[in-house]
Amino acid sequence: MVREKDVCWEYAEKLDGNKVRCKFCLRILNGGISRLKHHLSRLPSKGVNPCTKVRDDVTDRVRDIIGSKETPSTKKHMLIETKALANISPEKPLLSVEPITPIARIFPPIGQAISSSGNNQENAERSIALFFFENKIDFGVARSSSYHQMIEAVGKCGSGFIGPSPETLKATWLERIKSEVSLQSKDVEKEWAMTGCTLIAETWTDNKMKALINFLVSSPSRTFFYKSVDASSYFKNLKCLSELFDSIIQDFGPENVVQVIVDNTLHCTGIVNHILQNYGNVFVSPCASQCINAMLDEFSKLDWVNRCILQAQSISKFIYNNSPLLDLMKKFTGGQEIIKTGITKSVSNFLSVQCLLKYRSRLKVIFNSPELAANSAYTNKSQSVNCIAILDDNDFWRTAEECVAVSEPFLKVMREVSGGKPAVGTIYELLTRAKESIRTYYIMDEIKCKTFLDIVDKNWKNNLHSPLHSAAAFLNPGIQYNPEVKFLGSIKEDFFRVLEKLLPTPELRRDIPTQILLYTRASGMFGCNLAKEAIDTVPPGIWWEQFGDAAPTLQRVAIKILSQVCSTFTFERHWSTFQQIHSEKRNKIDKETLLDLVYINYNLKLARYLVSKPPEEDPLQLDDIDMTSEWVEEAENPSPTQWLDRFGSGLDGNDLNTRQFTAAIFGSGDNIFGL
């Protein structure tokens, strides 16, 4: 009866057992009113999914309750404070009275709270933590290089430092930082005359006919975000869409643009044919990462693969939704997660199966440990019995090993082409090697071998193959001079077709046959020891720049082709941010300011991802576990799609907003950047 008096019950419906239903999102939670509070507070908590539909005022109220854990004496003290403020005479100067805010009651200033400890490090960390929590800042921000630069710079200023005001940030620093980013972009443009560039068009559509296109430009030195366009009113109008792409290509210079990368959504609009017909030297290619993801997606839908994934998910769900079991798991794994969140649903599935396989023996120990055996609440559950049966099933583990063996070669390809580096010269070889791994693994099983190779070949032929990929493979010295590689006639045909497009007149092609012969026979500088030694250590485009002087015309073509990327990028995008930019509710000043902010924000993220990202980090894996994924969440609602999954389903009416966890931290009603 005491529990029923908790004020938070007005936000929930009590169900049988220890379950409650949130009145905002209708999610059913185990664990009663305590878990409901964490759910409504929208603060990340072990095994508790943040509510995506709760009102901000309710969130603030619940956070106050969680933070204060009010006792009768606390309430009495707050009442006295309120009366004292109310009795202040109007004639008395109010400047001497500091407002007592909810956060001040819960978290008194550092001097009052823990100044006696003398621990400056702890005081500083506490203040930073409060700043994150009060403003609903994603914890991942603490990984950014600019965050650490800020902390270091403030530390050098000493105790007298005063932070910039909102007005100074907007009026002075916004324009200054934007100019710095723009200058970096101008510096990179200088290399386009030699390397050319790739124009990337990222699309996002939803079931409300919203269609946004983000344009980026990529060359060997850097990739820059150019601008975001709301194409909702004309997304299916080829004339208007063509005019948009014409304007973007003209901005970069048609002579500089070697390639335009578009996704399947734009392939459906007819824009590909328009570009090919109107720009003789420009190629249009699909996103390689998206196409490889489509292969993995089809792999995961095969009955026996899907059954293995579902069994693995039943283990992870049971662990992540039971706190004592989760603590036990962290103890046995040294604090490591047993699942991984990838950039797409399919990537998450195969990475997580791989991770479970890694911790196979430890998972068995966990479910047979004395600590768990002593807790009948878990050992007697049907889910626990099911998990133990799966863990003891050798067929399950053999299938898991098979899933990993089949998927890993294609995950490797995806890593190589998704890292933002020029990879157009390796995609052909990488996929060929991945196919060979399938043939080797299934050397005794022709049926399964054919099943997987048919999936790969279908996606390669219909979605991924580009003449530019073939030409790049022919010009890649690592492939050309590999005695194990025999070029197919189709590759040479594509190569010659590309040459005719980039060198459209007989005069430009006059010396090409001789120069091709010098290259293929490794004559002159092509065959010197330095050139041979550099093949495995230098990117193909740079290799041609250093050793291709004997074939100057072919050298120029090779550098331009081999300097291109073949995918969009894999870091997480918050599409709700771009959606808010184009909101009709914004006035012109706010919109211009927000466009500047997003221009800076996106380019800083690109810089961090492409320049500062440690080489040991997996580009296919997100930093944090997605608490709304099918590997954790027990709810019936399907998990939202992630960025690469969005492309193919965009025109099918699926809602393609950002992941629920992101939306929980940055609610749809929040005004980003305070605008």
Side-chain angles (χ1 to χ4, degrees):
M1 293 299 295
V2 174
R3 291 171 56 193
E4 298 294 339
K5 294 182 180 179
D6 195 303
V7 294
C8 287
W9 279 111
E10 66 180 281
Y11 307 128
E13 175 186 353
K14 184 170 174 51
L15 303 177
D16 293 338
N18 198 26
K19 296 182 178 180
V20 295
R21 177 185 284 117
C22 173
K23 290 185 177 180
F24 295 99
C25 66
L26 303 182
R27 188 187 302 276
I28 297 176
L29 304 168
N30 293 316
I33 197 67
S34 176
R35 286 172 69 86
L36 176 77
K37 290 177 183 177
H38 287 286
H39 174 67
L40 296 176
S41 71
R42 301 196 298 191
L43 293 173
S45 179
K46 289 187 298 185
V48 182
N49 300 303
C51 184
T52 59
K53 297 183 179 179
V54 62
R55 301 194 310 270
D56 287 346
D57 62 308
V58 174
T59 294
D60 293 339
R61 182 185 184 191
V62 174
R63 288 183 183 181
D64 288 352
I65 292 171
I66 293 174
S68 61
K69 297 180 181 179
E70 293 176 350
T71 61
S73 60
T74 307
K75 293 180 179 178
K76 181 178 179 181
H77 179 67
M78 291 169 62
L79 184 61
I80 293 173
E81 287 179 339
T82 305
K83 288 182 177 179
L85 286 173
N87 291 331
I88 294 177
S89 171
E91 288 79 15
K92 295 180 181 179
L94 293 179
L95 292 176
S96 61
V97 180
E98 295 185 4
I100 304 176
T101 62
I103 197 167
R105 290 195 183 99
I106 302 169
F107 305 109
I110 289 177
Q112 299 176 26
I114 49 176
S115 60
S116 59
S117 68
N119 190 335
N120 292 331
Q121 173 71 21
E122 184 177 346
N123 291 353
E125 288 188 6
R126 178 179 180 276
S127 297
I128 293 170
L130 288 177
F131 171 72
F132 270 72
F133 303 153
E134 182 182 4
N135 295 286
K136 296 188 289 185
I137 298 174
D138 186 352
F139 300 152
V141 169
R143 295 189 182 94
S144 68
S145 58
S146 56
Y147 167 80
H148 293 287
Q149 290 172 8
M150 174 187 71
I151 297 298
E152 183 180 354
V154 171
K156 292 178 180 179
C157 290
S159 58
F161 175 75
I162 299 176
S165 66
E167 293 74 21
T168 303
L169 288 171
K170 184 175 181 179
T172 303
W173 285 105
L174 177 62
E175 186 61 36
R176 191 177 296 183
I177 298 296
K178 180 189 174 185
S179 297
E180 291 177 6
V181 174
S182 297
L183 283 174
Q184 293 174 10
S185 173
K186 294 295 182 184
D187 288 340
V188 172
E189 287 180 23
K190 297 174 183 177
E191 72 180 7
W192 292 354
M194 175 180 288
T195 67
C197 64
T198 291
L199 174 62
I200 299 172
E202 299 178 335
T203 61
W204 178 88
T205 59
D206 66 7
N207 57 1
K208 298 177 182 178
M209 302 305 293
K210 194 77 173 177
L212 308 180
I213 307 177
N214 286 349
F215 290 98
L216 300 89
V217 59
S218 180
S219 55
S221 294
R222 276 283 301 273
T223 296
F224 282 93
F225 168 71
Y226 183 57
K227 67 174 165 181
S228 177
V229 176
D230 182 358
S232 304
S233 61
Y234 55 84
F235 192 69
K236 294 185 179 181
N237 185 318
L238 180 57
K239 183 177 183 297
C240 295
L241 206 57
S242 298
E243 291 175 354
L244 170 63
F245 273 80
D246 286 342
S247 68
I248 300 294
I249 292 174
Q250 292 299 327
D251 287 345
F252 296 130
E255 70 281 0
N256 294 322
V257 178
V258 175
Q259 174 187 219
V260 178
I261 291 181
V262 297
D263 53 68
N264 287 343
T265 306
L266 282 168
H267 264 288
C268 300
T269 62
I271 191 64
V272 174
N273 289 334
H274 169 80
I275 295 173
L276 293 176
Q277 290 171 6
N278 288 271
Y279 299 94
N281 63 316
V282 177
F283 295 86
V284 180
S285 303
C287 170
S289 294
Q290 180 192 354
C291 295
I292 297 164
N293 183 70
M295 297 176 192
L296 292 171
D297 190 44
E298 289 195 47
F299 289 178
S300 66
K301 290 177 181 177
L302 295 172
D303 288 342
W304 63 271
V305 178
N306 185 54
R307 183 168 56 253
C308 176
I309 291 171
L310 291 175
Q311 288 178 311
Q313 287 176 349
S314 66
I315 296 171
S316 63
K317 286 178 184 178
F318 185 58
I319 292 175
Y320 279 91
N321 284 277
N322 293 280
S323 296
L325 193 55
L326 182 60
D327 292 338
L328 195 60
M329 180 271 286
K330 291 293 182 73
K331 173 184 174 183
F332 279 91
T333 63
Q336 299 299 308
E337 306 289 352
I338 59 168
I339 60 174
K340 296 183 184 296
T341 297
I343 57 173
T344 71
K345 178 181 175 180
S346 298
V347 171
S348 293
N349 287 341
F350 288 114
L351 286 178
S352 294
V353 170
Q354 189 178 93
C355 198
L356 282 174
L357 193 60
K358 174 184 176 182
Y359 290 113
R360 172 181 179 175
S361 59
R362 299 188 190 186
L363 288 170
K364 288 186 175 182
V365 171
I366 292 170
F367 278 87
N368 291 287
S369 64
E371 293 96 325
L372 189 63
N375 194 333
S376 60
Y378 294 105
T379 54
N380 296 333
K381 277 190 175 183
S382 60
Q383 289 173 290
S384 177
V385 174
N386 181 48
C387 288
I388 292 173
I390 294 172
L391 291 170
D392 290 337
D393 185 355
N394 290 330
D395 287 340
F396 165 74
W397 291 113
R398 278 194 293 268
T399 305
E401 290 172 352
E402 191 172 347
C403 288
V404 171
V406 170
S407 62
E408 180 55 32
F410 294 90
L411 291 173
K412 181 180 179 181
V413 177
M414 207 167 174
R415 288 186 184 98
E416 289 296 318
V417 302
S418 300
K421 60 184 178 183
V424 71
T426 59
I427 180 66
Y428 204 105
E429 180 190 18
L430 290 169
L431 269 176
T432 300
R433 290 181 184 274
K435 289 174 63 176
E436 285 302 317
S437 71
I438 295 290
R439 291 191 182 96
T440 302
Y441 187 78
Y442 286 121
I443 193 169
M444 303 298 291
D445 193 334
E446 291 184 8
I447 295 177
K448 280 190 175 179
C449 182
K450 184 177 186 305
T451 299
F452 284 105
L453 291 182
D454 284 349
I455 292 173
V456 175
D457 290 339
K458 179 189 68 175
N459 282 279
W460 169 262
K461 180 180 179 181
N462 297 337
N463 301 321
L464 181 54
H465 176 67
S466 166
L468 203 64
H469 296 156
S470 296
F474 189 87
L475 291 168
N476 184 345
I479 300 175
Q480 180 67 233
Y481 299 142
N482 186 341
E484 297 179 3
V485 175
K486 293 182 180 179
F487 281 104
L488 300 174
S490 59
I491 293 181
K492 289 186 177 180
E493 289 177 12
D494 283 342
F495 169 61
F496 292 139
R497 194 177 298 120
V498 168
L499 283 180
E500 290 177 1
K501 187 167 183 174
L502 294 179
L503 302 171
T505 65
E507 291 75 20
L508 292 173
R509 299 192 294 264
R510 182 183 301 119
D511 297 328
I512 281 295
T514 303
Q515 295 182 16
I516 292 175
L517 201 61
L518 287 173
Y519 166 58
T520 55
R521 292 184 176 179
S523 301
M525 289 179 63
F526 289 119
C528 70
N529 289 332
L530 281 175
K532 292 177 182 178
E533 294 164 1
I535 286 176
D536 296 326
T537 59
V538 175
I542 296 178
W543 185 91
W544 268 93
E545 184 180 344
Q546 293 178 342
F547 304 107
D549 293 356
T553 305
L554 189 61
Q555 181 187 44
R556 289 194 297 271
V557 171
I559 291 172
K560 281 203 169 186
I561 292 175
L562 293 167
S563 297
Q564 308 313 312
V565 296
C566 57
S567 291
T568 54
F569 301 95
T570 56
F571 65 85
E572 216 176 353
R573 295 154 177 80
H574 302 300
W575 284 97
S576 58
T577 301
F578 296 103
Q579 188 177 24
Q580 289 191 49
I581 292 175
H582 303 292
S583 171
E584 295 179 359
K585 298 178 181 179
R586 296 200 174 280
N587 61 55
K588 186 175 180 180
I589 296 176
D590 274 357
K591 187 171 182 177
E592 289 178 353
T593 301
L594 191 51
L595 284 168
D596 289 345
L597 284 163
V598 172
Y599 174 79
I600 295 171
N601 176 263
Y602 204 152
N603 280 307
L604 289 177
K605 283 187 175 181
L606 278 168
R608 188 258 171 188
Y609 180 79
L610 299 174
V611 179
S612 306
K613 192 176 181 71
E616 66 272 10
E617 286 191 24
D618 188 347
L620 303 186
Q621 183 183 334
L622 301 181
D623 292 323
D624 300 305
I625 295 296
D626 181 0
M627 299 303 290
T628 66
S629 78
E630 295 172 339
W631 288 85
V632 177
E633 190 175 45
E634 286 187 321
E636 295 179 357
N637 296 330
S639 62
T641 54
Q642 293 160 309
W643 78 267
L644 207 50
D645 295 318
R646 296 178 186 135
F647 292 117
S649 57
L651 294 178
D652 297 332
N654 290 335
D655 190 352
L656 305 176
N657 284 321
T658 53
R659 292 163 51 213
Q660 283 186 7
F661 183 81
T662 303
I665 298 297
F666 303 100
S668 59
D670 290 347
N671 290 321
I672 55 176
F673 299 115
L675 297 176

